[in-house]
Amino acid sequence: MATRRTFLRNTLGLTAASFIGAPLVGLAPARAAQDGLQPPPDIFDAQALDLEFWVKPRTLTVTRPQSGEKASVLYWRDGEMIDSAYEQLCHLLRDVNGKETARIDPKLLETLWGAQAFVARYGIESPVEILSGYRTPASNQRLREQGIPAARQSLHMEGKAADIRIANLNEEVLGGLVKSFRQGGVGFYYRGGPRGGWIHADTGLKRTWKG
């Protein structure tokens, strides 16, 4: 029987392999980049990420507005997941309202890290703001009753979805980047106001929608 560590290592290996060579296409705001890099164009050209991008250690920086938590977690190094770091990320993506933690799909963590690491190459170094990660069925139903967008069979309840924002990236920018990873569904939620909207990212079927 495969151990949990073996499962995680194999899952992450397959995920990384699927990302290598995948073109990343999206929009980015014009701003001066750091470290001598050229600023990104208004539209990211399709490009293949090299193996070096995927074999380096992976640190995911997240913040949870509801709980006020913020953490930078080194969760993958030397070709495998760090179990204690994985548990920490599962806790950070927990159902804050329902106060329950569940296993988060490693492929979802890869999408969040990949988007963050990609834009960091252009000097945009902001945490991934987690508006919603795992949801208990009760929490999901409560959102539906309040008229908040929540699918009846939401992948949030399986630990396979997150609603996110990254500072300095609007919905079109972030959604286009997440979509380009081709790892699941992407929902664009456009909202006015100082905080703006958000992006739903999941590891289900490849599809897009606007809410």
Side-chain angles (χ1 to χ4, degrees):
M1 178 179 295
T3 65
R4 182 166 173 274
R5 175 181 290 273
T6 300
F7 174 83
L8 291 174
R9 181 171 62 248
N10 291 343
T11 301
L12 269 291
L14 290 173
T15 302
S18 67
F19 278 155
I20 294 169
L24 292 182
V25 185
L27 302 176
R31 59 170 286 177
Q34 301 171 351
D35 301 326
L37 293 175
Q38 293 297 315
D42 290 334
I43 298 178
F44 280 123
D45 294 328
Q47 56 184 296
L49 288 171
D50 56 25
L51 180 61
E52 183 179 358
F53 181 87
W54 294 109
V55 300
K56 65 184 179 182
R58 302 169 193 171
T59 298
L60 179 60
T61 302
V62 301
T63 181
R64 290 299 305 264
Q66 286 178 294
S67 62
E69 295 167 285
K70 181 178 179 179
S72 291
V73 182
L74 172 64
Y75 74 93
W76 194 92
R77 181 177 55 196
D78 299 329
E80 65 178 17
M81 182 84 82
I82 301 171
D83 286 353
S84 60
Y86 173 74
E87 297 292 345
Q88 184 179 357
L89 287 173
C90 288
H91 177 73
L92 287 167
L93 272 72
R94 72 191 183 281
D95 184 334
V96 175
N97 294 320
K99 299 181 180 179
E100 289 189 23
T101 300
R103 180 192 183 95
I104 300 299
D105 187 348
K107 287 175 61 179
L108 181 62
L109 299 180
E110 287 302 292
T111 298
L112 302 184
W113 173 81
Q116 186 173 58
F118 181 88
V119 299
R121 291 153 53 129
Y122 296 96
I124 303 173
E125 298 184 359
S126 301
V128 177
E129 188 175 340
I130 306 294
L131 305 180
S132 180
Y134 168 69
R135 293 180 197 153
T136 64
S139 291
N140 196 70
Q141 180 60 29
R142 192 177 305 116
L143 292 177
R144 290 176 56 81
E145 293 171 351
Q146 295 171 353
I148 298 174
R152 188 179 301 275
Q153 301 297 327
S154 174
L155 290 175
H156 284 275
M157 297 187 293
E158 299 179 28
K160 295 181 178 181
D163 295 339
I164 65 172
R165 285 193 291 238
I166 294 181
N168 300 313
L169 300 180
N170 63 30
E171 300 92 328
E172 198 69 31
V173 173
L174 180 56
L177 178 56
V178 171
K179 179 182 177 182
S180 71
F181 283 103
R182 303 176 182 177
Q183 292 298 304
V186 181
F188 296 72
Y189 290 86
Y190 301 94
R191 299 291 186 272
R195 300 297 295 175
W198 68 91
I199 292 300
H200 166 102
D202 67 49
T203 59
L205 297 176
K206 298 175 185 177
R207 67 216 186 281
T208 60
W209 67 93
K210 295 181 180 180

